[in-house]
Amino acid sequence: MSDLPRTDAAGLRARLDALADRGRAHIEGARRRRGLAAAVKRLLPMLLVVPVLVFGIQVTQMLHGTARWDVNGWVVLGVMGLFAAAWMLGEHLLFDRAAPSRRAALGLFDTEGRFADRLNAADAFLDEPAPGAFMQAAIEDAEAFVQQANTVRLPAQAATFPPASDVLRYVGAALLLCLFVGLVGEPTTAGLATVDEGAITADADGARDSGAPPPPNDPVRDPTPKAADPETERPRDGSSDAKEMKRAPAELDEDAKKTEGRTSAGQASDAESTSGANDARGAPTNQGPSAKSGKKKKPKATKKPLDKKPAEAKKQEPKQMDADPSGSTSGRGSSKGSNKNPVKTDWKSKDQVDPDEEDEIEDDEEVEDEESESEARGGMQPNLRDRKPPVSRDLTIGFGNQPSPDANGRGGPSEQKKSRGTASLVLGVPIPDRVKGQPNPGKTKVTQERVEPRRETAKPVAAGARTPRSTPIGRVAEPSFAPWMRDLIRSYFLTLRSKAPTKRSP
Amino acid sequence: MTTKKPTAAQAKKAAKEFQQTYTAIRDEVCKAMVGQEPVIEGVLTALLAGGHVLLEGVPGLGKTLLVRSLGEAVDLEFSRIQFTPDMMPADIIGTQVLVERKGGGHEVRFQQGPLVANLVLADEINRATPKTQSALLEAMQEQQISVGTDRIDLDPPYCVMATQNPVEQEGTYPLPEAQLDRFLFKLVVGYPEEHEYHEILGRTVGADDVTLEAVSSGKQIMAMRKVARQVPVPEHVQGYAVHLVMGTQPGSPYAPGTVNANVALGSSPRGAQGLMLAGKVKALLAGRFAVSSDDVKAAALDVLRHRVMVNFQGQSEGITPDDIVKAVVQHVKPPVEAEATA
């Protein structure tokens, strides 16, 4: 400080101190804004964590068939809000509050004022114990720029908050998930209950059709409600399916009424016979059709809308009336002795169907379809239609192993007994609903045609005089590598990278 | 004996004289040379910083004219060596020749070669064999020539300005890294602008010859070099130069991804020295008394481009050393700026 008076040096240092304080405050403010922006940016994807977690739990429960966790959407929303608040609190606590250095603070003025590091250089040289001539000159040179720095307006460093579209996307997705989780959670149990009621009602109607007295809990008839289980276990958009499931019993009742009307003449003598012999033969055969009718009608009830149903029923009704008039049914029954099918219904039991009939062909096709679909999926995904409950091997009639409470030993509901005869041979195998057809476009047929090479003749090219070049060729760049060498090298490195990707620093 | 310390006023005066001399030399050179201001400034900066220059450009762009004009403007001894593949070290250094004595008899005397001068133009240096190229090493670094047991000190200022043609690579010997590292700057000479063509034609095809006057001397150049060396460098600027040099070295914490992937060899500490020296000259020319980060950044491309060796992978991708240095400059921020925006 030989040239610069001590008071001047002290004054310059004081002015630099003031500038440094101003710069520090500005940098801290900018850091806070950037920290907030970064925290919001990190929070946005985290918003999805809570609803996705709840949704994942629900899906897992659906797949495993366990009792579903009913969650209110508002509760999920509330938890999500709490999570966001906790996240921001954590960001606030972890925020780096280290004060910016004096050099950075003065550097801000150097940058904004385009002082070319004059302030920082002067500040550094002021600390030198024996500054040289050029250092003193630099300090003196900085005096004027310190004055200018006081007038420099530091620009607000805009923090890059995530764009509004991103915010809307994430928040919207989170809210939708909350809503979805709420919708899935609430009506699920109601839907399940409706399905069970519908299945039971349908079974009851079917049993009423067949004339057999519907026992309160028939284990042989269990497959029918069980058959609905895989379907009810599949994910669905609760309310609509539940409504459709509610409609199913009503349609079944209508169908049952139609059947009754159609068979009124033919059934009069046989179908309503309640003799013990008929019971023995008829009950098993009735169980089959009731299960089958349950199988065939329920999918229609669940798949097709309600308004189509009566129209189709109206169309089918005359055909069926023509094909199976009540008189002919009774006549056929008597001609065959009616010992196998004493009850007139619109279905055929397995022992009546010829092997070359359509049903069996359709079954074969279904098996083929399943195989082809499984192949089409590459065998990677399991066929969910295979998720059938195991076929009931329980041959008991009544209340399983429990004796019927109404048993009195005089006919009617009997004690525990083992079924014998035809009833034990007919399996009520439920066939789940399905839509026929392949989920993929199918196999592609490639036709190869063998063509012998043929000789072609080309027209001779007429040679003409070359005209001189009209434009200069310019500077022709001479590549250091020939094109084939460059391609070779490029392909070599591409292969090398694809085999062993190298880790690069950012 | 007490030596009087130079004062701030003297420093300011020296800096002003530095600027004036520089401007005078540049204006004189610009009488003969049209356009190419960045190249002229680069050559002058290297001369004042005490370094050597490698000029790269296609033939006919005035590289030889620039160096010759500089020699005339500064009144320096100028020599030109046209390198060829059959040239031997003795052809440039000098050799012992048998001469006749006045009184009778013969004696072996050293006949110095064209390398003994102040300003040496090594034209198409990459056409010479490595043996001949390496003969330049001692002269460039030590500013002396060893011939047998004799040693010849080269008069300061000593500056080698070498040219090479980037296009014709057939039958050339690319300079080894050890020699490239000894050049302070590698300047790329480009084509002139359209309006400069008219000026070139007006000056060279007409009847009037352009004659240059010496506006400076070798002694003055040495004094300017001394002034440039006195310019102080703040600690954060020096740190920035070090970070830039380390940024060119693959595996260093300052190296960007492109360096790690495509660079075989980064800059040596000579690169940092070059950045400092060039920054000092630039600071004086800008009227400042201390080097700033901007000075270092401005010199980075010229100082570092020939010190970076792109690996085979980078060459196959078409990545040039210029791309690497630009990526480093973009990636490595001055410490002050980096801290303020952290």
Side-chain angles (χ1 to χ4, degrees), chain B residues 232-294:
Chain B
V233 184
E235 189 187 342
H236 68 275
V237 177
Q238 191 167 309
Y240 179 50
V242 171
H243 292 176
L244 279 179
V245 168
M246 290 180 73
T248 63
Q249 299 163 355
S252 84
Y254 304 101
T258 183
V259 168
N260 290 328
N262 302 305
V263 173
L265 196 68
S267 171
S268 68
R270 274 205 191 103
Q273 291 172 354
L275 285 175
M276 287 292 94
L277 287 171
K280 287 181 176 192
V281 174
K282 284 181 182 292
L284 282 173
L285 295 178
R288 280 182 274 108
F289 305 100
V291 183
S292 75
S293 302
D294 294 341

Side-chain angles (χ1 to χ4, degrees), chain B residues 186-197:
Chain B
K186 180 183 176 184
L187 302 171
V188 177
V189 185
Y191 286 105
E193 300 290 325
E194 185 180 354
H195 67 276
E196 290 169 353
Y197 276 97

Side-chain angles (χ1 to χ4, degrees), chain B:
Chain B
M1 183 180 162
T2 56
T3 53
K4 198 177 179 183
K5 260 181 95 177
T7 60
Q10 286 172 332
K12 286 180 182 175
K13 188 184 172 190
K16 196 170 185 182
E17 284 175 4
F18 186 97
Q19 269 185 296
Q20 286 172 346
T21 310
Y22 173 88
T23 309
I25 298 170
R26 190 191 62 192
D27 292 347
E28 198 64 22
V29 171
C30 284
K31 283 182 185 172
M33 191 81 187
V34 179
Q36 309 286 6
E37 280 86 5
V39 179
I40 294 171
E41 285 175 11
V43 167
L44 277 173
T45 304
L47 180 68
L48 297 175
H52 309 285
V53 181
L54 178 63
L55 294 163
E56 189 175 273
V58 293
L61 294 180
K63 298 186 292 287
T64 309
L65 177 67
L66 168 64
V67 180
R68 199 174 60 217
S69 305
L70 185 64
E72 288 178 25
V74 185
D75 194 16
L76 295 173
E77 195 178 335
F78 170 76
S79 69
R80 180 178 185 274
I81 310 167
Q82 181 68 47
F83 280 88
T84 55
D86 59 350
M87 191 171 268
M88 297 301 287
D91 295 335
I92 60 168
I93 293 171
T95 186
Q96 306 277 358
V97 292
L98 194 68
V99 293
E100 196 173 348
R101 285 182 191 159
K102 283 183 180 174
H106 293 82
E107 66 173 354
V108 177
R109 194 181 292 170
F110 177 71
Q111 182 71 41
Q112 62 189 27
L115 206 57
V116 183
N118 292 119
L119 201 58
V120 177
L121 173 61
D123 220 350
E124 296 195 82
I125 191 172
N126 56 339
R127 292 204 174 278
T129 57
K131 185 178 182 180
T132 310
Q133 288 173 1
S134 62
L136 280 169
L137 290 177
E138 188 186 7
M140 289 171 74
Q141 186 64 32
E142 312 295 334
Q143 301 198 357
Q144 66 178 31
I145 296 169
S146 299
V147 182
T149 55
D150 296 335
R151 195 186 76 186
I152 301 169
D153 290 325
L154 299 170
D155 290 335
Y158 184 76
C159 183
V160 173
M161 301 205 175
T163 70
Q164 65 178 15
N165 189 343
V167 180
E168 296 170 15
Q169 299 293 326
E170 200 80 29
T172 61
Y173 302 91
L175 292 175
E177 279 68 40
Q179 191 161 1
L180 279 173
D181 205 25
R182 281 169 169 75
F183 286 101
L184 177 67
F185 283 170
K186 180 183 176 184
L187 302 171
V188 177
V189 185
Y191 286 105
E193 300 290 325
E194 185 180 354
H195 67 276
E196 290 169 353
Y197 276 97
H198 297 289
E199 187 74 22
I200 289 168
L201 293 174
R203 285 190 200 180
T204 54
V205 182
D208 298 335
D209 283 340
V210 178
T211 52
L212 301 179
E213 293 177 5
V215 294
S216 181
S217 63
K219 201 177 279 185
Q220 209 168 352
I221 294 294
M222 289 308 293
M224 289 171 79
R225 283 186 179 181
K226 204 173 173 185
V227 169
R229 296 251 170 185
Q230 289 176 14
V231 175
V233 184
E235 189 187 342
H236 68 275
V237 177
Q238 191 167 309
Y240 179 50
V242 171
H243 292 176
L244 279 179
V245 168
M246 290 180 73
T248 63
Q249 299 163 355
S252 84
Y254 304 101
T258 183
V259 168
N260 290 328
N262 302 305
V263 173
L265 196 68
S267 171
S268 68
R270 274 205 191 103
Q273 291 172 354
L275 285 175
M276 287 292 94
L277 287 171
K280 287 181 176 192
V281 174
K282 284 181 182 292
L284 282 173
L285 295 178
R288 280 182 274 108
F289 305 100
V291 183
S292 75
S293 302
D294 294 341
D295 299 327
V296 174
K297 195 187 285 186
L301 192 60
D302 293 339
V303 171
L304 296 176
R305 61 157 61 108
H306 56 290
R307 299 174 204 271
V308 172
M309 197 168 80
V310 179
N311 63 14
F312 192 64
Q313 184 177 330
Q315 285 178 14
S316 70
E317 297 282 341
I319 292 170
T320 62
D322 281 24
D323 298 332
I324 298 290
V325 176
K326 283 174 186 169
V328 171
V329 170
Q330 197 175 1
H331 180 73
V332 179
K333 301 285 179 198
V336 171
E337 192 182 329
E339 194 180 348
T341 56

Side-chain angles (χ1 to χ4, degrees), chain A residues 2-3 27 30-31 34 99-108 110-111 115-118 120-121 124-125 130-138 140-141 157 475-478 480-481 486 489-490 492-494 496-497 502 504-506, chain B residues 5-12 14-15 58 166-170 191 227 230-237 255-258 260-262 284 286-294 312-313 315-317 331 335-337 339-342:
Chain A
S2 56
D3 279 7
I27 292 173
R31 269 189 195 172
R34 280 199 300 270
S101 69
R102 180 186 176 86
R103 203 170 60 184
L106 290 175
L108 198 62
D110 275 335
T111 309
F115 300 151
D117 288 345
R118 279 186 171 94
N120 254 321
F125 297 151
F134 272 89
M135 286 187 183
Q136 290 166 17
E140 287 178 16
D141 184 40
Q157 293 181 0
R475 183 176 162 241
V476 181
E478 184 181 335
S480 53
F481 289 113
R486 192 167 290 178
I489 292 162
R490 185 173 177 76
Y492 167 73
F493 275 107
L494 286 175
L496 196 70
R497 285 180 187 177
T502 54
R504 294 182 182 182
S505 71
Chain B
K5 260 181 95 177
T7 60
Q10 286 172 332
K12 286 180 182 175
V58 293
V167 180
E168 296 170 15
Q169 299 293 326
E170 200 80 29
Y191 286 105
V227 169
Q230 289 176 14
V231 175
V233 184
E235 189 187 342
H236 68 275
V237 177
T258 183
N260 290 328
N262 302 305
L284 282 173
R288 280 182 274 108
F289 305 100
V291 183
S292 75
S293 302
D294 294 341
F312 192 64
Q313 184 177 330
Q315 285 178 14
S316 70
E317 297 282 341
H331 180 73
V336 171
E337 192 182 329
E339 194 180 348
T341 56

